[in-house]
Amino acid sequence: MPTVAVTRVIPEAGLDLLRAAAEVRLWDEDLPPSPEQLAALLRGCDGALTLLTDAITGETLDREPGLKVISNFAVGYDNVDVPAATARGVVVCNTPGVLTETTADFAWALLMASARRVVEGADYVRAGKWRTWGPTLLRGRDLTGATLGIVGFGRIGREVAKRARGFEMTVLAFDEYEDETAARELGARYVPLDELLGQADFVTLHVALTPETEKLIGARELGLMKREAILVNAARGPVVDTDALVAALRDGTIGGAALDVTDPEPLPADHPLVGLSNALVVPHMASATHATRDRMAVLAAENLLTGLRGERPAGIVNPEVLDRSSTRGQSDR
Ligand code: GLV
């Protein structure tokens, strides 16, 4: 039986699969293991089911030459140095597909909550300020007929576009790779990023974090946006320059921001973004429904076990590793 590390408690559906086929070494603390604790947990393991809070570097893999598969419990895998894993013959997996709709739904929840000031309204009631109905109280922005700009038109971005139809929105999309058929089917139009930023009433980010997308939205880009526009980020925090965003929200360069992800993460409660009334910050929870987290757990477990059998996991990120004559699992390292 292989030995696998699981770096946090995941839904039972995934743990059950792993326990049936492997010796499971579970990190059951609420907080992630420190780098030293992670190294100790991985010692002697054949594979690991990791979270986006675990940094998996070339050094991590060099310390544990027996590690053959890293299966990330997330669709994003910027916490894993994939080129380093590939160079070492280590299979890396993620959980695409199973969280697409759930994440798109949540981007809409953020967009609508921010546009219609839902959290401010709830805070107002909790604070005992609700004394009467008010004609000018807590006015927000209309969604119907507005222009939505989707940055990153992949799986999740397209689901967001699908949901915009009900609001009769004009949908603009920006992506490095353009799929005209998909855009046409969803009633979206590809435009350059600057044009999208200049025209959209709502800008929602759905790109993976890569060296190219880090700080994709900085002071210049925020300056191109409409003064009333709302920025939604359910992708990765570092896609936005946090200091530039704080400045833009403070001085009214943009109207608001709704953030599922931040840089840094977690965001301390005394961070300027948390205190701004036009910023809505929640703790990286876009895929957090019972059903979706179960699906992610099952897929991550299946990816790990399939990879350890030397077969091709459904969620493999670096399939080129399997195309080689000798992967780590088959070599004599
Ligand atoms: C969550 O952020 C994920 O990448 O699945």
Side-chain angles (χ1 to χ4, degrees):
M1 249 193 190
T3 301
V4 299
V6 179
T7 65
R8 211 89 63 79
V9 175
I10 59 167
E12 280 300 319
L15 285 177
D16 287 347
L17 282 177
L18 292 175
R19 285 187 178 123
E23 194 69 47
V24 176
R25 202 181 285 170
L26 178 64
W27 181 260
D28 61 1
E29 307 278 332
D30 289 339
L31 294 179
S34 67
E36 297 72 32
Q37 289 166 328
L38 181 63
L41 186 76
L42 295 177
R43 203 152 296 144
C45 283
D46 302 292
L49 191 150
T50 53
L51 268 58
L52 54 87
T53 43
D54 305 310
I56 305 295
T57 63
E59 212 173 279
T60 317
L61 302 173
D62 284 340
R63 263 197 310 264
E64 288 308 322
L67 270 180
K68 300 170 197 73
V69 183
I70 298 293
S71 176
N72 220 35
F73 180 90
V75 68
Y77 47 86
D78 46 280
N79 58 304
V80 182
D81 185 339
V82 178
T86 305
R88 290 159 178 78
V90 176
V91 170
V92 179
C93 305
N94 69 339
T95 59
V98 294
L99 48 74
T100 307
E101 292 83 1
T102 303
T103 304
D105 290 348
F106 197 75
W108 273 100
L110 286 175
L111 195 159
M112 294 177 75
S114 183
R116 299 304 308 274
R117 305 178 66 180
V118 174
V119 177
E120 281 176 84
D123 286 348
Y124 185 85
V125 175
R126 269 201 201 98
K129 293 182 183 164
W130 188 16
R131 295 173 55 227
T132 182
W133 186 87
T136 60
L137 180 65
L138 286 165
R139 287 173 293 174
R141 303 278 160 201
D142 276 317
L143 274 75
T144 300
T147 297
L148 176 66
I150 303 176
V151 179
F153 208 58
R155 281 190 206 88
I156 297 171
R158 291 175 198 186
E159 281 299 318
V160 170
K162 209 189 269 180
R163 286 150 179 73
R165 284 186 162 163
F167 292 103
E168 297 164 23
M169 292 172 116
T170 298
V171 179
L172 305 178
F174 169 74
D175 201 293
E176 200 183 330
Y177 308 99
E178 298 191 352
D179 179 342
E180 286 295 349
T181 312
R184 206 173 316 114
E185 275 168 12
L186 293 164
R189 184 164 60 86
Y190 284 111
V191 290
L193 181 59
D194 285 4
E195 192 177 326
L196 179 151
L197 294 170
Q199 289 186 23
D201 301 299
F202 302 97
V203 175
T204 184
L205 307 178
H206 300 285
V207 290
L209 176 61
T210 65
E212 292 73 41
T213 62
E214 190 170 347
K215 292 195 169 54
L216 181 68
I217 305 298
R220 187 190 79 83
E221 290 72 24
L222 291 161
L224 294 174
M225 288 172 65
K226 294 182 178 174
R227 289 189 85 77
E228 318 78 40
I230 289 172
L231 177 70
V232 175
N233 189 4
R236 282 292 182 268
V239 174
V240 178
D241 179 336
T242 300
D243 292 341
L245 179 61
V246 169
L249 290 167
R250 271 196 182 132
D251 67 20
T253 301
I254 66 169
L259 310 171
D260 180 48
V261 291
T262 58
D263 179 24
E265 218 171 89
L267 205 60
D270 62 356
H271 191 279
L273 269 180
V274 179
L276 286 168
S277 64
N278 55 352
L280 169 58
V281 184
V282 297
H284 201 153
M285 54 190 274
S287 67
T289 66
H290 291 282
T292 290
R293 288 289 164 85
D294 279 354
R295 283 195 292 266
M296 290 168 70
V298 167
L299 180 54
E302 285 174 351
N303 282 339
L304 180 52
L305 296 173
T306 307
L308 286 176
R309 287 196 300 269
E311 296 163 15
R312 188 189 177 98
I316 190 166
V317 163
N318 55 351
E320 60 274 29
V321 169
L322 295 183
D323 299 336
R324 290 192 201 140
S325 56
S326 161
T327 64
R328 217 182 208 193
Q330 296 157 342
S331 74
D332 57 5
R333 283 182 66 164

